[in-house]
Short mmCIF file of all heavy atoms in Angstrom, two decimals:
data_model
loop_
_atom_site.label_atom_id
_atom_site.label_comp_id
_atom_site.label_asym_id
_atom_site.label_seq_id
_atom_site.Cartn_x
_atom_site.Cartn_y
_atom_site.Cartn_z
N ALA L 315 -16.06 11.31 13.74
CA ALA L 315 -14.73 11.68 14.22
C ALA L 315 -14.49 11.09 15.61
O ALA L 315 -13.39 10.61 15.92
CB ALA L 315 -14.58 13.20 14.25
N TYR L 316 -15.52 11.13 16.45
CA TYR L 316 -15.41 10.56 17.79
C TYR L 316 -15.10 9.06 17.72
O TYR L 316 -14.21 8.55 18.40
CB TYR L 316 -16.72 10.79 18.55
CG TYR L 316 -16.78 10.13 19.90
CD1 TYR L 316 -16.23 10.75 21.03
CD2 TYR L 316 -17.37 8.88 20.07
CE1 TYR L 316 -16.27 10.15 22.27
CE2 TYR L 316 -17.42 8.28 21.31
CZ TYR L 316 -16.87 8.91 22.40
OH TYR L 316 -16.91 8.30 23.63
N LEU L 317 -15.82 8.36 16.87
CA LEU L 317 -15.61 6.91 16.72
C LEU L 317 -14.25 6.60 16.11
O LEU L 317 -13.60 5.64 16.49
CB LEU L 317 -16.74 6.31 15.88
CG LEU L 317 -18.13 6.37 16.50
CD1 LEU L 317 -19.18 5.91 15.50
CD2 LEU L 317 -18.19 5.54 17.76
N GLU L 318 -13.83 7.43 15.17
CA GLU L 318 -12.55 7.20 14.51
C GLU L 318 -11.38 7.30 15.48
O GLU L 318 -10.39 6.58 15.34
CB GLU L 318 -12.37 8.19 13.36
CG GLU L 318 -11.14 7.92 12.51
CD GLU L 318 -11.19 6.63 11.72
OE1 GLU L 318 -12.29 6.10 11.47
OE2 GLU L 318 -10.12 6.13 11.34
N ARG L 319 -11.47 8.15 16.47
CA ARG L 319 -10.40 8.26 17.47
C ARG L 319 -10.18 6.92 18.17
O ARG L 319 -9.04 6.51 18.40
CB ARG L 319 -10.69 9.36 18.48
CG ARG L 319 -10.42 10.75 17.93
CD ARG L 319 -10.40 11.80 19.02
NE ARG L 319 -11.66 11.95 19.73
CZ ARG L 319 -12.64 12.75 19.36
NH1 ARG L 319 -12.52 13.49 18.29
NH2 ARG L 319 -13.75 12.82 20.07
N ALA L 320 -11.28 6.24 18.50
CA ALA L 320 -11.16 4.94 19.16
C ALA L 320 -10.55 3.91 18.22
O ALA L 320 -9.73 3.08 18.64
CB ALA L 320 -12.53 4.48 19.66
N VAL L 321 -10.93 3.96 16.96
CA VAL L 321 -10.36 3.04 15.97
C VAL L 321 -8.87 3.33 15.81
O VAL L 321 -8.03 2.42 15.84
CB VAL L 321 -11.08 3.19 14.61
CG1 VAL L 321 -10.36 2.42 13.51
CG2 VAL L 321 -12.53 2.73 14.72
N HIS L 322 -8.53 4.59 15.67
CA HIS L 322 -7.13 4.96 15.47
C HIS L 322 -6.26 4.56 16.66
O HIS L 322 -5.12 4.10 16.48
CB HIS L 322 -7.01 6.47 15.23
CG HIS L 322 -5.60 6.94 15.27
ND1 HIS L 322 -4.64 6.55 14.35
CD2 HIS L 322 -4.94 7.71 16.17
CE1 HIS L 322 -3.49 7.07 14.67
NE2 HIS L 322 -3.64 7.79 15.77
N THR L 323 -6.78 4.71 17.85
CA THR L 323 -6.02 4.36 19.05
C THR L 323 -5.61 2.90 19.01
O THR L 323 -4.54 2.54 19.49
CB THR L 323 -6.88 4.64 20.30
OG1 THR L 323 -7.16 6.03 20.34
CG2 THR L 323 -6.17 4.24 21.57
N ARG L 324 -6.44 2.06 18.41
CA ARG L 324 -6.18 0.63 18.40
C ARG L 324 -5.51 0.15 17.10
O ARG L 324 -5.10 -0.99 17.00
CB ARG L 324 -7.49 -0.12 18.61
CG ARG L 324 -8.00 0.06 20.02
CD ARG L 324 -9.46 -0.28 20.16
NE ARG L 324 -9.89 -0.08 21.52
CZ ARG L 324 -10.27 1.10 22.01
NH1 ARG L 324 -10.29 2.16 21.24
NH2 ARG L 324 -10.65 1.22 23.26
N ARG L 325 -5.41 1.01 16.12
CA ARG L 325 -4.84 0.63 14.83
C ARG L 325 -3.41 0.12 15.04
O ARG L 325 -2.62 0.72 15.74
CB ARG L 325 -4.83 1.83 13.89
CG ARG L 325 -4.52 1.47 12.46
CD ARG L 325 -4.77 2.62 11.52
NE ARG L 325 -6.20 2.70 11.23
CZ ARG L 325 -6.94 3.79 11.40
NH1 ARG L 325 -6.42 4.90 11.85
NH2 ARG L 325 -8.23 3.77 11.10
N GLY L 326 -3.12 -1.02 14.45
CA GLY L 326 -1.79 -1.60 14.57
C GLY L 326 -1.61 -2.49 15.78
O GLY L 326 -0.56 -3.11 15.93
N SER L 327 -2.62 -2.56 16.63
CA SER L 327 -2.51 -3.43 17.81
C SER L 327 -2.64 -4.89 17.39
O SER L 327 -3.39 -5.21 16.47
CB SER L 327 -3.61 -3.10 18.82
OG SER L 327 -3.48 -1.79 19.30
N PRO L 328 -1.95 -5.78 18.07
CA PRO L 328 -2.08 -7.21 17.76
C PRO L 328 -3.52 -7.69 18.00
O PRO L 328 -4.20 -7.21 18.92
CB PRO L 328 -1.13 -7.89 18.74
CG PRO L 328 -0.20 -6.82 19.20
CD PRO L 328 -0.97 -5.54 19.13
N SER L 329 -3.96 -8.61 17.20
CA SER L 329 -5.34 -9.09 17.31
C SER L 329 -5.62 -9.70 18.69
O SER L 329 -6.73 -9.55 19.22
CB SER L 329 -5.65 -10.10 16.20
OG SER L 329 -4.74 -11.17 16.24
N ALA L 330 -4.64 -10.35 19.28
CA ALA L 330 -4.84 -10.93 20.61
C ALA L 330 -5.14 -9.85 21.65
O ALA L 330 -5.99 -10.04 22.53
CB ALA L 330 -3.62 -11.75 21.03
N VAL L 331 -4.47 -8.72 21.53
CA VAL L 331 -4.70 -7.60 22.45
C VAL L 331 -6.11 -7.04 22.25
O VAL L 331 -6.83 -6.77 23.21
CB VAL L 331 -3.64 -6.50 22.25
CG1 VAL L 331 -3.99 -5.24 23.03
CG2 VAL L 331 -2.26 -7.02 22.66
N LEU L 332 -6.51 -6.89 20.99
CA LEU L 332 -7.85 -6.38 20.69
C LEU L 332 -8.93 -7.32 21.19
O LEU L 332 -9.93 -6.88 21.78
CB LEU L 332 -8.01 -6.15 19.19
CG LEU L 332 -7.12 -5.09 18.58
CD1 LEU L 332 -7.25 -5.08 17.07
CD2 LEU L 332 -7.42 -3.72 19.17
N LEU L 333 -8.74 -8.61 20.98
CA LEU L 333 -9.72 -9.58 21.43
C LEU L 333 -9.81 -9.59 22.95
O LEU L 333 -10.91 -9.64 23.52
CB LEU L 333 -9.37 -10.97 20.90
CG LEU L 333 -10.38 -12.06 21.20
CD1 LEU L 333 -11.76 -11.71 20.65
CD2 LEU L 333 -9.91 -13.39 20.63
N ASP L 334 -8.67 -9.49 23.62
CA ASP L 334 -8.66 -9.44 25.08
C ASP L 334 -9.40 -8.21 25.59
O ASP L 334 -10.20 -8.29 26.51
CB ASP L 334 -7.22 -9.45 25.60
CG ASP L 334 -7.16 -9.54 27.11
OD1 ASP L 334 -7.82 -10.44 27.67
OD2 ASP L 334 -6.46 -8.71 27.72
N GLU L 335 -9.15 -7.07 24.96
CA GLU L 335 -9.86 -5.84 25.36
C GLU L 335 -11.36 -5.99 25.14
O GLU L 335 -12.16 -5.62 25.99
CB GLU L 335 -9.34 -4.64 24.58
CG GLU L 335 -10.04 -3.35 24.95
CD GLU L 335 -9.62 -2.15 24.12
OE1 GLU L 335 -8.81 -2.31 23.18
OE2 GLU L 335 -10.12 -1.05 24.42
N PHE L 336 -11.74 -6.54 23.99
CA PHE L 336 -13.15 -6.74 23.68
C PHE L 336 -13.81 -7.65 24.73
O PHE L 336 -14.87 -7.33 25.25
CB PHE L 336 -13.30 -7.35 22.29
CG PHE L 336 -14.72 -7.57 21.87
CD1 PHE L 336 -15.51 -6.52 21.49
CD2 PHE L 336 -15.25 -8.85 21.86
CE1 PHE L 336 -16.84 -6.72 21.10
CE2 PHE L 336 -16.55 -9.06 21.48
CZ PHE L 336 -17.35 -8.00 21.10
N ASP L 337 -13.15 -8.76 25.05
CA ASP L 337 -13.69 -9.69 26.06
C ASP L 337 -13.86 -9.00 27.41
O ASP L 337 -14.87 -9.19 28.09
CB ASP L 337 -12.78 -10.91 26.21
CG ASP L 337 -12.90 -11.88 25.05
OD1 ASP L 337 -13.90 -11.80 24.31
OD2 ASP L 337 -11.98 -12.70 24.88
N GLN L 338 -12.88 -8.19 27.80
CA GLN L 338 -12.96 -7.49 29.08
C GLN L 338 -14.12 -6.50 29.10
O GLN L 338 -14.86 -6.42 30.09
CB GLN L 338 -11.66 -6.75 29.36
CG GLN L 338 -10.51 -7.65 29.71
CD GLN L 338 -9.21 -6.87 29.88
OE1 GLN L 338 -9.21 -5.67 30.08
NE2 GLN L 338 -8.08 -7.58 29.77
N VAL L 339 -14.27 -5.76 28.03
CA VAL L 339 -15.36 -4.76 27.96
C VAL L 339 -16.72 -5.45 27.99
O VAL L 339 -17.62 -5.05 28.74
CB VAL L 339 -15.22 -3.87 26.70
CG1 VAL L 339 -16.47 -3.04 26.47
CG2 VAL L 339 -14.00 -2.98 26.82
N ILE L 340 -16.88 -6.51 27.21
CA ILE L 340 -18.16 -7.23 27.17
C ILE L 340 -18.47 -7.82 28.54
O ILE L 340 -19.59 -7.70 29.04
CB ILE L 340 -18.14 -8.32 26.08
CG1 ILE L 340 -18.07 -7.68 24.69
CG2 ILE L 340 -19.35 -9.24 26.20
CD1 ILE L 340 -19.25 -6.79 24.33
N THR L 341 -17.49 -8.47 29.16
CA THR L 341 -17.71 -9.06 30.48
C THR L 341 -18.10 -8.00 31.50
O THR L 341 -19.06 -8.19 32.27
CB THR L 341 -16.43 -9.80 30.94
OG1 THR L 341 -16.12 -10.81 29.98
CG2 THR L 341 -16.61 -10.41 32.31
N ARG L 342 -17.38 -6.88 31.50
CA ARG L 342 -17.69 -5.79 32.45
C ARG L 342 -19.09 -5.23 32.19
O ARG L 342 -19.86 -5.02 33.12
CB ARG L 342 -16.64 -4.69 32.32
CG ARG L 342 -16.81 -3.57 33.34
CD ARG L 342 -15.70 -2.53 33.27
NE ARG L 342 -15.69 -1.84 32.00
CZ ARG L 342 -14.66 -1.81 31.15
NH1 ARG L 342 -13.55 -2.46 31.41
NH2 ARG L 342 -14.75 -1.14 30.02
N ARG L 343 -19.44 -5.04 30.92
CA ARG L 343 -20.75 -4.45 30.61
C ARG L 343 -21.88 -5.40 30.96
O ARG L 343 -22.92 -4.98 31.47
CB ARG L 343 -20.80 -4.06 29.13
CG ARG L 343 -21.98 -3.22 28.79
CD ARG L 343 -21.92 -1.87 29.51
NE ARG L 343 -23.10 -1.11 29.21
CZ ARG L 343 -23.88 -0.56 30.12
NH1 ARG L 343 -23.60 -0.64 31.39
NH2 ARG L 343 -24.95 0.10 29.76
#
Side-chain angles (χ1 to χ4, degrees):
Y316 174 84
L317 295 172
E318 187 67 21
R319 283 193 298 272
V321 170
H322 169 65
T323 298
R324 291 162 180 84
R325 192 170 280 126
S327 297
S329 57
V331 170
L332 295 173
L333 185 57
D334 186 50
E335 180 184 4
F336 181 76
D337 286 342
Q338 288 175 20
V339 168
I340 293 298
T341 301
R342 184 175 64 239
R343 191 64 182 128

